[in-house]
Amino acid sequence: MFKGSITAMVTPMRENAVDEDALRTFIDWQIGEGTHGLVPVGTTGESPTLSHAEHKRVVEVTIEVAAGRVPVIAGAGSNNTAEAIDLARHAEQAGADAVLVVTPYYNKPNQEGLYQHYKAINDAIGIPIIIYNIPPRSIIDMSVETMARLFELKNIVGVKDATAKLDRVSLQRHAMGPDFLQLSGEDGTALAFMAHGGHGCISVASNVAPRLCAEFQEACMAGDFAKALTYQDRLMPLHSAIFVEPNPTGVKYALSLLGKMEDRVRLPLVGITESTKTIIRSAMAHAGLVN
């Protein structure tokens, strides 16, 4: 169910509120362009600055509009275990197909703390859980050994890996076997990730280029890495450009160029500089997304 190009969705804003109309239109566009799955309210969805009510509403709208056409993996992470459980339970009740749970940030638990955090969430719900391992943001790195322990639990099915360590895919494949779901968390290295045995990518770039990212993943899943490389060459400038400034500031600017939503983010994020706008426009032109 969870494979291919899965969009780490932005949350459209208008006058500092969630723009629900733009969100609905955006979801329909994503699915129409071939995206294989949706992740609302992750980091790209500005979850740190959404209220709990807004967070839950975005999940509900995504599930409603997707209407079973593609799987919805709801963001449900927190460095407060009780809060993560609440978000995960809501996602399950709303009809999400799975939840994405980031390793706890800031309070820096050890490996046993990580295990117990995920076990508590596992024990509280009945839908699949995907671990989100992203040391650049959360500081901590879940070990392969801890991941293997968690995979023994009934709901832990895989990982979104943003460690930037490509050997980790093979190490995790060796420890947990080919049924352990491995999704890349980095667009720029997704080609190599897939060649190592990955199953897909939870993608930021697919917000802007959903069809290209879906076709790229389909080539990878078919084992046609020569074809995938042609997509990589076309998309790589975009992968870099949208991260020149903090995510999702670049993505929202790019989407505003496509007329999909307003270029608005919430503090402490701010809009990008003119020089970064130039870089993004150039990358989008290279990919054939704008003239």
Side-chain angles (χ1 to χ4, degrees):
M1 179 183 291
F2 312 116
K3 63 182 180 181
S5 181
I6 302 169
T7 301
M9 292 168 46
V10 298
T11 302
M13 303 284 185
R14 182 185 291 273
E15 297 179 354
N16 208 38
V18 174
D19 186 343
E20 193 168 306
D21 290 340
L23 176 62
R24 291 174 178 275
T25 302
F26 181 67
I27 293 165
D28 267 331
W29 177 64
Q30 283 282 321
I31 296 171
E33 289 290 290
T35 290
H36 303 114
L38 299 169
V39 177
V41 290
T43 307
T44 305
E46 295 179 79
S47 56
T49 53
L50 294 181
S51 69
H52 286 185
E54 287 173 326
H55 180 118
K56 291 175 180 179
R57 181 60 182 157
V58 171
V59 170
E60 291 165 0
V61 170
T62 304
I63 293 165
E64 176 193 336
V65 177
R69 290 178 289 171
V70 298
V72 174
I73 306 168
S78 175
N79 62 344
N80 177 334
T81 304
E83 184 176 283
I85 288 171
D86 175 66
L87 295 174
R89 282 176 169 162
H90 170 267
E92 180 177 24
Q93 291 163 4
D97 297 287
V99 289
L100 179 67
V101 179
V102 70
T103 50
Y105 38 87
Y106 190 73
N107 41 13
K108 298 170 68 175
N110 61 17
Q111 294 297 312
E112 183 60 26
L114 284 175
Y115 176 83
Q116 294 298 337
H117 175 78
Y118 282 92
K119 184 178 186 303
I121 301 166
N122 172 86
D123 293 349
I125 62 173
I127 59 175
I129 298 168
I130 298 170
I131 299 161
Y132 184 12
N133 193 26
I134 181 166
R137 283 191 181 270
S138 61
I139 306 301
I140 54 173
D141 183 0
M142 183 182 287
S143 69
V144 175
E145 293 74 19
T146 299
M147 214 169 281
R149 286 180 68 197
L150 286 169
F151 189 45
E152 295 174 359
L153 303 177
K154 64 184 177 71
N155 294 317
I156 305 291
V157 299
V159 64
K160 175 186 176 182
D161 189 300
T163 63
K165 298 176 179 177
L166 290 171
D167 62 338
R168 194 67 66 88
V169 191
S170 296
L171 292 170
Q172 288 163 178
R173 185 178 171 86
H174 176 72
M176 279 82 81
D179 292 336
F180 183 71
L181 178 69
Q182 298 204 61
L183 301 170
S184 170
E186 286 199 341
D187 283 299
T189 57
L191 176 59
F193 190 100
M194 293 297 287
H196 278 249
H199 300 90
C201 180
I202 296 181
S203 169
V204 176
S206 62
N207 280 282
V208 183
R211 183 171 298 278
L212 292 177
C213 289
E215 290 173 353
F216 163 75
Q217 280 292 330
E218 286 162 6
C220 289
M221 290 188 290
D224 190 348
F225 290 102
K227 182 178 181 181
L229 183 58
T230 66
Y231 284 96
Q232 177 81 350
D233 290 341
R234 190 171 169 185
L235 286 165
M236 192 64 211
L238 182 66
H239 297 332
S240 299
I242 57 177
F243 283 96
V244 169
E245 296 191 42
N247 184 45
T249 58
V251 176
K252 282 198 162 177
Y253 170 70
L255 285 167
S256 75
L257 292 182
L258 297 177
K260 299 302 177 184
M261 62 189 66
E262 293 186 6
D263 180 15
R264 289 181 180 267
V265 290
R266 281 188 176 166
L267 289 171
L269 299 179
V270 295
I272 61 175
T273 62
E274 288 301 320
S275 61
T276 301
K277 289 178 180 180
T278 299
I279 294 168
I280 289 173
R281 284 194 298 267
S282 175
M284 292 175 71
H286 179 82
L289 302 174
V290 295
N291 293 326

